[in-house]
Amino acid sequence: MTTEVKDFKLDGESIIARSKERGEGDFIVGKKQEAIDKFDALEMPKPDKTRINRWDFFTVSSPVVNSEVYESLETLPNTVKEVVDLDVVENLYVQHNNTPAFLKVSDDLLEQGVIVENIFEASENHRELVEKYFMTDGVKIDEHKLAAYHAAMLNGGLFVYVPKNVKVPTPIQMVVLHDDENASLFNHLLLVADEGSEVTFVENYVSTVEESKEQLNIISEVIAKDNAKITYGAVDFLAAGFTGYANRRGVASNDATIDWALGLMNDSNVIYDNTTYLMGDRSNSDLKIVVVGRGDQRQNFTTKIIHYGKESNGHILKHGVMKDSATSIFNGIGQIKKGASGADAQQESRVLMLNDRARGDANPILLIDEDDVTAGHAASVGRVDPIQLFYLMSRGISQKEAERLVIHGFLAPVVKALPIESVKRQLTEVIELKVVSK
Amino acid sequence: MTSVLEIKDLHVEIDGKPILKGIDLTLKQGEIHAVMGPNGTGKSTLAQAIMGHPRYDVTQGEVLLDGENVLEMEVDERAHAGLFLGMQYPSEISGVTNSDFLRSAINSQREEGDEINLMQFIKKLDKNMNELEMDLDMSTRYLNEGFSGGEKKRNEILQLLMLEPKFGILDEIDSGLDIDALKVVSKGINSMRGENFGALIITHYQRLLNYITPDFVHVIMKGKVVKSGGKELAERLEAEGYEWIKDELGIEDETVVE
Ligand SMILES: Nc1ncnc2c1ncn2[C@@H]1O[C@H](COP(=O)(O)OP(=O)(O)OP(=O)(O)O)[C@@H](O)[C@H]1O
Ligand SMILES: [Mg+2]
């Protein structure tokens, strides 16, 4: 494997050499080597209806940048503070570009055996656990070229493990601050909720740079064992210019639940893959996504729930707003495998277009190999309803404010589902910024 | 000063199809006018055109509020000028709570920096919802979403009471209301009655007018006002229907369709 780097050629050997130099443990070095070995033979992923053959997913300025760490909550930069409920936050990991910069975990959780550590440390301190779940049940290294590239270039991320029957009372939050335009993010989030446990996890990606030509290649593997419940919230708001691949994958065992609420607000071209495997009987996933596209960005949102378990429930709700000449593809796939009797697969995609140049395409797909199931989909692409605007304006509300209300209202079902107040507020502000700004 | 709303020779089309064919009506504050007429004769069209509904084209005539040309105003400006339309079929707006909407509406009528304070707003909302016997949690629900027919109508009147316009045009505000709700809503409208409020109430039934006694009653057919009178006109219509007017005026088909 060789990859284009602006200033120098990077090949498999130097990736491994650098990894060792940075003190990454045997496990990670081994995974990187495995990815490098497999890379050449792998295909690119094929997001339906978006041609990515001219996208550059590989060029980076620097495989890792070193950034400042923070000693305390008080010294966190404002951009980070804004998305944290400072008064109540108990569990927080801040990553500054590629550098683990701050970590706070409540003693209570540590005593109960909850693990919150950056992925590199965790791979050494809890090797068996990481080895068991890292790119095995969720996203495999050889799933496609971008998964392998992610593993080879891995330069950040977090491992969260919740032991059996532990119910984490307050959210665990990860904030990734991107403020170096030369930083690429190859972040891996591995979240495992063991049997009967419960946890709420929220991640924020924020940039303060105007533009960055780097790579965003992030993978989350979210694993809920029997009877576990995971609530997963995210707000992605990275700058324009990135080439993005964001894969968030869920695996739910018997009676487990994984609920997602994702605000996908990146300003760059991104392929989003959000797939949940409902492996277990009576497993559930509720997936809510909101997106706003602006400028000339191109995005593909593929959301998929695959039902293996009997009486499993998968519900997808996607609301998108497209303005300027943004282009977005919304693929929603509900797949029910043979044997998943009693499964229920539902999805709804709604796209609101704010002008004629924007493009939005909603493709609901149901793939069903079992008779005894229920499934349904609804999709629409449309403009702001002039009759709704008339109604609001007839009460004195200006056209601009009326549009604002309708758009916020349209996105509200997902904003409301986000589990942390400050993150809700942030998402509302981001929506305001993206929708209202000209 | 008593405000006056004048509708002069109003002609309105929808998709090129003439609906109103010369309506003349003058409303003064302090007066209640009832507008009646068979289905499909143009009553809602009149109401919507006055408020500026985007699908209705005014092709002739004028609407003046204290001499100001209403037809040149944007919809929100008409509201600011003092007009209010209680709609026959109110829109549902998902994700926007009733109370957020009401606050935006009230603040839109006030200067920037002089927004209604939260306590004042809640007090006023409480009082009006009480008066209309509405459940308080209706204010945190999304605007009209999933409201029953009667609840929507009550919610229109709530907006009327909150916004206190100069003129209220109320389109079939009584349809879908049960007997008790009709009394409650009438009470709400009557509480607005006075020298600072005028209303044009579109209805099919004398029942409503038993509670809100009109000063004038107008009958619309074929897109025109064909008869006007006092409250006794409504009583006669209730008793005898529209046939006698049609006979009197030689109208065979009362709808607007040619
Ligand atoms: N969007 C439209 N397209 C075509 N025709 C329309 C449209 N809206 C209304 N009309 C027609 O205009 C005429 C008048 O309608 P309008 O709603 O004003 O009647 P109305 O007097 O309010 O009736 P009702 O008592 O049933 O409420 C009707 O024939 C109706 O079918
Ligand atoms: Mg009508």
Side-chain angles (χ1 to χ4, degrees):
Chain A
M1 165 181 155
T2 53
T3 179
E4 292 296 318
V5 175
K6 273 185 207 138
D7 307 324
F8 57 93
K9 263 277 192 259
L10 186 70
D11 56 22
E13 260 170 52
S14 54
I15 289 176
I16 295 301
R18 284 167 156 269
S19 173
K20 287 182 176 161
E21 217 175 272
R22 288 175 55 81
E24 296 172 1
D26 292 350
F27 174 75
I28 296 288
V29 173
K31 284 292 166 188
K32 290 193 167 181
Q33 187 64 57
E34 182 187 341
I36 290 161
D37 294 342
K38 289 179 170 167
F39 181 85
D40 285 334
L42 294 171
E43 306 255 336
M44 287 295 284
K46 295 189 179 57
D48 205 16
K49 302 211 155 131
T50 303
R51 281 166 59 89
I52 55 168
N53 48 341
R54 302 177 76 151
W55 293 31
D56 172 12
F57 286 97
F58 301 105
T59 305
V60 299
S61 298
S62 171
V64 178
V65 301
N66 291 314
S67 307
E68 185 196 351
V69 301
Y70 309 109
E71 296 305 329
S72 64
L73 271 182
E74 292 71 48
T75 57
L76 292 173
N78 283 334
T79 314
V80 176
K81 282 183 175 163
E82 276 160 19
V83 298
V84 175
D85 283 342
L86 286 171
D87 308 334
V88 293
V89 65
E90 290 187 20
N91 313 297
L92 175 66
Y93 167 68
V94 179
Q95 185 176 309
H96 188 183
N97 300 307
N98 311 128
T99 305
F102 181 80
L103 179 67
K104 171 182 153 121
V105 185
S106 81
D107 292 340
D108 196 36
L109 290 193
L110 293 174
E111 272 161 32
Q112 296 184 75
V114 174
I115 301 167
V116 183
E117 288 177 17
N118 79 60
I119 194 87
F120 297 102
E121 265 173 41
S123 74
E124 298 201 78
N125 298 343
H126 310 280
R127 171 138 182 186
E128 340 63 66
L129 275 175
V130 174
E131 189 158 355
K132 185 166 171 200
Y133 295 108
F134 183 85
M135 301 192 87
T136 55
D137 295 346
V139 182
K140 295 191 173 45
I141 283 186
D142 57 4
E143 189 168 300
H144 48 60
K145 228 181 189 68
L146 291 183
Y149 193 61
H150 167 89
M153 300 295 285
L154 184 73
N155 64 6
L158 189 68
F159 175 62
V160 176
Y161 173 77
V162 185
K164 280 184 191 164
N165 299 321
V166 171
K167 302 201 170 14
V168 179
T170 59
I172 296 172
Q173 187 173 10
M174 170 170 97
V175 181
V176 178
L177 170 63
H178 180 269
D179 63 1
D180 179 339
E181 57 184 29
N182 291 321
S184 280
L185 299 172
F186 295 93
N187 249 34
H188 197 96
L189 182 275
L190 180 57
L191 168 58
V192 181
D194 217 326
E195 291 170 18
S197 68
E198 279 181 24
V199 62
T200 296
F201 176 82
V202 176
E203 64 186 354
N204 297 81
Y205 281 86
V206 278
S207 10
T208 55
V209 298
E210 191 94 327
E211 197 178 338
S212 169
K213 297 268 182 253
E214 300 303 318
Q215 299 303 326
L216 169 71
N217 181 333
I218 59 172
I219 292 181
S220 295
E221 297 183 278
V222 177
I223 293 162
K225 309 299 283 183
D226 289 357
N227 263 309
K229 179 167 176 25
I230 297 176
T231 304
Y232 190 108
V235 177
D236 296 352
F237 188 36
L238 291 174
F242 275 99
T243 307
Y245 174 71
N247 184 336
R248 292 187 170 98
R249 180 75 47 92
V251 184
S253 303
N254 290 333
D255 301 290
T257 297
I258 302 176
D259 289 338
W260 307 88
L262 310 176
L264 306 178
M265 300 285 144
N266 287 326
D267 273 331
S268 46
N269 297 345
V270 186
I271 302 298
Y272 295 91
D273 175 347
N274 190 239
T275 301
T276 302
Y277 303 135
L278 296 178
M279 304 305 296
D281 293 345
R282 297 165 307 278
S283 54
N284 305 295
S285 183
D286 187 54
L287 166 57
K288 294 190 167 78
I289 287 186
V290 353
V291 318
V292 176
R294 65 171 171 179
D296 58 0
Q297 71 180 133
R298 289 171 180 280
Q299 298 184 95
N300 179 299
F301 305 92
T302 297
T303 50
K304 189 168 178 178
I305 296 183
I306 309 178
H307 300 249
Y308 293 89
K310 293 187 200 318
E311 292 167 43
S312 52
N313 295 304
H315 292 183
I316 300 174
L317 177 73
K318 279 187 287 191
H319 281 193
V321 172
M322 290 300 126
K323 59 183 270 195
D324 305 334
S325 47
T327 301
S328 288
I329 306 290
F330 294 82
N331 297 318
I333 302 152
Q335 184 169 13
I336 302 181
K337 297 279 189 181
K338 185 115 202 94
S341 53
D344 182 36
Q346 302 293 340
Q347 58 168 305
E348 186 182 327
S349 291
R350 308 262 175 225
V351 187
L352 202 55
M353 315 289 275
L354 299 191
N355 68 33
D356 295 330
R357 282 170 300 140
R359 292 208 38 205
D361 216 342
N363 311 301
I365 299 165
L366 289 170
L367 303 167
I368 300 178
D369 289 321
E370 174 62 50
D371 296 328
D372 172 27
V373 300
T374 49
H377 62 71
S380 65
V381 176
R383 308 294 297 258
V384 175
D385 178 5
I387 307 303
Q388 287 188 336
L389 291 183
F390 169 64
Y391 185 72
L392 294 172
M393 289 175 72
S394 78
R395 302 320 188 219
I397 295 170
S398 68
Q399 174 156 359
K400 203 171 151 203
E401 176 67 8
E403 281 175 359
R404 217 190 122 254
L405 284 173
V406 170
I407 292 165
H408 276 288
F410 173 72
L411 300 175
V414 182
V415 178
K416 247 180 38 183
L418 279 167
I420 294 182
E421 281 311 312
S422 57
V423 176
K424 247 184 239 184
R425 196 173 56 233
Q426 178 219 9
L427 181 55
T428 305
E429 280 166 15
V430 170
I431 289 169
E432 179 79 29
L433 183 82
K434 293 193 70 162
V435 169
V436 178
S437 73
K438 282 291 157 225
Chain B
M1 183 195 101
T2 305
S3 286
V4 185
L5 181 65
E6 293 168 281
I7 300 152
K8 294 182 178 171
D9 190 33
L10 191 67
H11 286 65
V12 176
E13 291 183 358
I14 304 172
D15 297 339
K17 178 176 142 193
I19 309 285
L20 297 188
K21 296 162 186 168
I23 297 266
D24 290 284
L25 275 178
T26 300
L27 272 77
K28 296 199 178 84
Q29 279 187 313
E31 297 173 354
I32 304 271
H33 293 243
V35 170
M36 305 184 79
N39 294 129
T41 50
K43 302 180 299 297
S44 293
T45 304
L46 172 63
Q48 304 272 36
I50 295 172
M51 205 67 221
H53 189 292
R55 294 217 36 195
Y56 297 75
D57 297 321
V58 175
T59 51
Q60 195 179 315
E62 49 189 355
V63 178
L64 304 174
L65 177 57
D66 296 330
E68 297 271 341
N69 186 348
V70 168
L71 300 177
E72 273 180 4
M73 300 178 190
E74 298 296 332
V75 176
D76 54 331
E77 292 168 344
R78 297 182 198 203
H80 295 165
L83 299 181
F84 178 92
L85 170 58
M87 305 203 189
Q88 186 173 0
Y89 305 109
S91 292
E92 299 190 3
I93 309 214
S94 187
V96 179
T97 64
N98 219 353
S99 71
D100 282 352
F101 156 69
L102 280 168
R103 255 176 87 190
S104 290
I106 290 176
N107 285 332
S108 76
Q109 319 243 4
R110 302 167 68 119
E111 295 294 313
E112 226 176 286
D114 181 39
E115 286 85 6
I116 186 166
N117 86 35
L118 191 59
M119 288 313 296
Q120 264 176 307
F121 172 75
I122 291 175
K123 244 174 95 179
K124 186 166 182 179
L125 184 63
D126 264 18
K127 176 175 156 282
N128 288 323
M129 290 186 85
N130 252 323
E131 170 143 9
L132 295 172
E133 295 177 18
M134 289 173 78
D135 217 350
L136 276 182
D137 62 47
M138 299 286 274
S139 69
T140 56
R141 282 178 57 187
Y142 292 155
L143 179 52
N144 293 330
E145 193 179 60
F147 284 25
S148 74
E151 287 168 344
K152 281 184 183 159
K153 293 301 165 75
R154 257 185 230 231
N155 206 36
E156 293 292 285
I157 298 307
L158 176 65
Q159 294 169 41
L160 175 77
L161 299 187
M162 293 296 286
L163 294 170
E164 303 176 82
K166 290 180 181 157
F167 289 99
I169 302 162
L170 306 176
D171 192 358
E172 293 201 24
I173 209 67
D174 51 341
S175 67
L177 292 180
D178 65 44
I179 300 160
D180 294 335
L182 186 67
K183 284 189 200 166
V184 168
V185 162
S186 304
K187 197 175 79 185
I189 297 168
N190 280 328
S191 75
M192 292 280 297
R193 211 167 173 162
E195 57 185 23
N196 293 321
F197 180 66
L200 191 148
I201 297 179
I202 297 168
T203 181
H204 286 293
Y205 305 106
Q206 170 59 30
R207 222 175 36 192
L208 176 70
L209 304 179
N210 288 339
Y211 296 111
I212 307 169
T213 314
D215 302 301
F216 302 93
V217 176
H218 311 278
V219 177
I220 291 190
M221 285 187 191
K222 288 185 137 228
K224 283 185 168 181
V225 176
V226 294
K227 197 159 189 72
S228 294
K231 68 177 168 43
E232 67 292 340
L233 175 55
E235 283 156 10
R236 182 161 180 205
L237 291 172
E238 176 84 359
E240 299 178 30
Y242 291 105
E243 279 308 316
W244 64 275
I245 301 187
K246 284 158 68 180
D247 289 348
E248 204 176 287
L249 300 173
I251 296 172
E252 278 173 19
D253 179 359
E254 71 278 14
T255 61
V256 293
V257 193
E258 304 298 300

